[in-house]
Amino acid sequence: MADAAQIFSEHRERLAGVAYRVLGRIADVEDVVQDAWLRWSTVDLDSVDDPEAYLVRVTTRLAIDRLRSAQARREAYVGPWLPEPMLTSPDVADSVALNDSVSTAMLLVLESLSPLERAVFVLREAFGYSYAEIAGFVDRTEPSVRQTAARARAHVEDHRVRYDTDRATRAEATQRFLAACVGGDLRSLVQVLAPEVTMISDGGGLAQAPRKPIVGAELVARALVTFAGRTPAAATAEIVELNGGPAIVARYDGEPVSAITLHLVDGRIETIHLIANPEKLTGLAAAQG
């Protein structure tokens, strides 16, 4: 019979996936998963009929509690708040639901839900748990969970933007965008941007980044060229897989200094998420190492 550590290891990736979609911050995810392990390590395994259900229930409740605390802290955040980027593998695209639910665009929409609504939405839409299972996870009745899920789904549908999902299109646009930024080619950069493109930058008051969204191809292109010009000459930039799609990570002395995710509509970049807050790049540094 498998021991506690082996069973937990088998489910760890799923637990982290649930926690990340609920919280959007790597450090919080690591804390929640560690707390779940501490609780699991003291359980009498013979008393647990379904280890996955037990672990998802514990992880979900820990994540909801942590999100409630985090939302209060975010009210004092300097400038726009974006989810912390997470390295993903290309095979996440094998599941459309998982891929969409981990995108920064979707995570931002989920930010406007209550912690309970967000958890229920993630468990249902991303991981496909039944309403009865979710009811047990969040300690609610099944009818209540159905109502919460319907309310959350309606909110998401009303607020989400349908960005392009074709990987080849996204990869090509990301390559063109990176080449234009590195070369300081303003004209080429404008050509890959939608006329009303919006750039949202998250510096958290700890890095140079605009504290308000910038709108319009010309203004965004100039801001990006300026931002690229401030990057140390020895810095490097590469295209990596972040949050289920191609993105750009710039590094200096091996440490990440910014992460850029592009969202396309009809083949042109409609929204740019730029993260420069060093506290939100530690996960990329750790994963690289």
Side-chain angles (χ1 to χ4, degrees):
M1 180 178 177
D3 61 17
Q6 182 180 342
I7 294 172
F8 190 84
S9 178
E10 291 172 356
H11 297 290
R12 185 184 185 93
E13 184 175 348
R14 170 158 292 219
L15 303 182
V18 170
Y20 178 73
R21 288 165 176 80
V22 173
L23 293 163
R25 187 169 181 267
I26 303 298
D28 286 338
V29 171
E30 293 172 347
D31 287 345
V32 163
V33 172
Q34 179 63 21
D35 286 348
W37 159 248
L38 291 175
R39 297 191 184 193
W40 174 250
S41 64
T42 64
V43 169
D44 176 6
L45 298 185
D46 292 334
S47 68
V48 180
D49 294 328
D50 187 341
E52 178 184 327
Y54 180 95
L55 289 168
V56 172
R57 180 171 69 252
V58 169
T59 299
T60 299
R61 294 183 183 184
L62 288 169
I64 288 174
D65 288 344
R66 185 168 287 262
L67 181 58
R68 287 175 176 145
S69 299
Q71 286 181 333
R73 295 195 304 269
R74 285 175 195 169
E75 293 179 2
Y77 197 79
V78 178
W81 185 95
L82 291 173
E84 185 173 344
M86 179 180 69
L87 286 166
T88 53
S89 59
D91 58 9
V92 74
D94 292 343
S95 170
V96 175
L98 286 173
N99 182 41
D100 182 54
S101 67
V102 81
S103 73
T104 56
M106 175 59 78
L107 291 172
L108 277 175
V109 174
L110 297 184
E111 278 294 306
S112 56
L113 297 175
S114 73
L116 178 62
E117 289 172 336
R118 182 166 180 168
V120 168
F121 181 88
V122 165
L123 292 167
R124 179 64 180 170
E125 301 299 325
F127 292 94
Y129 286 111
S130 69
Y131 293 115
E133 289 173 313
I134 298 171
F137 296 159
V138 300
D139 193 24
R140 296 291 193 280
T141 65
E142 185 175 340
S144 173
V145 165
R146 287 181 179 274
Q147 291 178 353
T148 301
R151 188 166 59 247
R153 192 181 305 113
H155 180 88
V156 169
E157 289 301 316
D158 286 344
H159 291 80
R160 71 185 303 185
V161 177
R162 298 288 181 178
Y163 292 114
D164 295 350
T165 58
D166 181 74
R167 296 184 64 80
T169 300
R170 295 182 66 190
E172 180 186 2
T174 304
Q175 291 169 350
R176 291 174 59 194
F177 176 91
L178 176 58
C181 287
V182 171
D185 189 341
L186 197 64
R187 177 173 295 182
S188 295
L189 192 52
V190 169
Q191 289 176 348
V192 77
L193 302 176
E196 295 302 313
V197 61
T198 300
M199 184 172 76
I200 301 172
S201 304
D202 180 342
L206 301 175
Q208 285 191 330
R211 296 188 179 183
K212 292 183 179 179
I214 299 175
V215 180
E218 286 286 346
L219 291 176
V220 168
R222 293 183 184 281
L224 285 165
V225 170
T226 299
F227 182 82
R230 291 174 179 165
T231 304
T236 60
E238 61 179 336
I239 296 176
V240 300
E241 193 82 8
L242 291 183
N243 297 84
I248 299 165
V249 173
R251 298 180 184 275
Y252 179 63
D253 283 344
E255 295 296 319
V257 293
S258 64
I260 300 176
T261 303
L262 310 175
H263 304 281
L264 281 64
V265 174
D266 296 330
R268 302 183 78 178
I269 299 168
E270 186 78 19
T271 306
I272 300 170
H273 290 151
L274 189 158
I275 296 178
N277 182 345
E279 293 183 348
K280 291 190 174 182
L281 300 172
T282 55
L284 302 183
Q288 184 75 4

